[in-house]
Amino acid sequence: MTHRLPPQLDLEPDLVLRAYAMGVFPMADHRLASSVYWVEPKLRGILPLDRFHLSRSLRKTILADRFRVTVDTAFDRVIRLCAESATDRPDTWINGPIERVFTELHRRGFAHSIECWDGDRLAGGLYGLALGRAFFGESMVTRVRDASKVAFAHLVARLRAGGFTLLDCQFQTEHLATLGAVEVPRDDYVALLGAALGDSAAGLSSGAPSVDGDFFALDALPEPPAVGAGTVSGPLSRKVIAQLLGQTS
């Protein structure tokens, strides 16, 4: 069961940051809704970063370099793709106010996207919000099989490399459960959130929010020793990703 707070017509970036720091987030009833409402789930979906499940098939897909993976190169396109209707998802909760505020948060350096490309086609990806050592996953989408899974695996590796401690998935789904996500009660989530935010929460209350986790630390990691031929996919090495995720369960 989800607790709804009163609806709001528009969103300000600083308000959204403070809301996430309190454990609530905005949603809309449908894509064309004019307002949003605030959600505080009684059971929160999270993915423990040391318990990500890297299946053999997903590891094989990553190592095969099936997709070219980039970061923050097409945020606008990713959020629009997430907001689009699809056969398995005729409507979404991402409306105009949500799209606009996250675009601004991306401009400020808080919101990020991971893109998977099949040639020149955006095959899928995800976007979310980084605050302190917490990352709040907002939405992921796929238009080519396994694209969203590859993007999610890259996200987990990036968060592990950057010192993040909390990956908030908001709601548990069967798909996320296969990747290692679990549900925790609200009180447990608030404790995890507080530990992940640390001094960032104080900064938000004083009007000076900060980002403590390093979302780009992965890009500076050295290549592992070569075993046969290997290539680099965009800014991320498939070998580094597989190595980092191989350290999870």
Side-chain angles (χ1 to χ4, degrees), residues 74-212:
F75 185 90
D76 292 352
R77 292 181 62 182
V78 168
I79 194 170
R80 283 198 301 268
L81 194 64
C82 286
E84 286 180 2
S85 62
T87 302
D88 60 341
R89 188 175 60 174
D91 206 353
T92 72
W93 52 266
I94 304 170
N95 67 348
I98 290 175
E99 186 174 343
R100 286 192 294 274
V101 78
F102 269 90
T103 300
E104 174 61 20
L105 287 168
H106 171 65
R107 189 188 69 80
R108 294 190 186 187
F110 289 99
H112 301 283
S113 62
I114 295 181
E115 306 92 15
C116 284
W117 303 88
D118 184 11
D120 293 330
R121 177 190 181 189
L122 182 59
L126 58 84
Y127 78 95
L129 180 73
L131 187 61
R133 290 177 292 134
F135 188 87
F136 306 89
E138 287 297 303
S139 184
M140 58 183 180
V141 64
T142 188
R143 289 294 183 265
V144 177
R145 182 178 177 179
D146 291 334
S148 64
K149 288 184 180 180
V150 170
F152 196 77
H154 277 252
L155 173 66
V156 171
R158 183 167 287 275
L159 298 182
R160 284 172 58 87
F164 287 79
T165 60
L166 175 64
L167 173 50
D168 178 6
C169 302
Q170 298 181 344
F171 299 108
Q172 174 73 298
T173 66
E174 291 183 8
H175 173 60
L176 288 172
T178 65
L179 298 173
V182 298
E183 284 185 322
V184 297
R186 183 192 303 159
D187 289 347
D188 292 350
Y189 171 78
V190 170
L192 292 169
L193 178 61
L197 291 182
D199 294 338
S200 291
L204 285 169
S205 63
S206 66
S210 63
V211 177
D212 299 325

Side-chain angles (χ1 to χ4, degrees), residues 4-11 27-29 34-39:
R4 288 194 180 198
L5 299 176
Q8 185 163 339
L9 288 176
D10 212 347
L11 295 170
M27 294 185 72
D29 283 318
S34 60
S35 64
V36 302
Y37 56 89
W38 297 100
V39 182

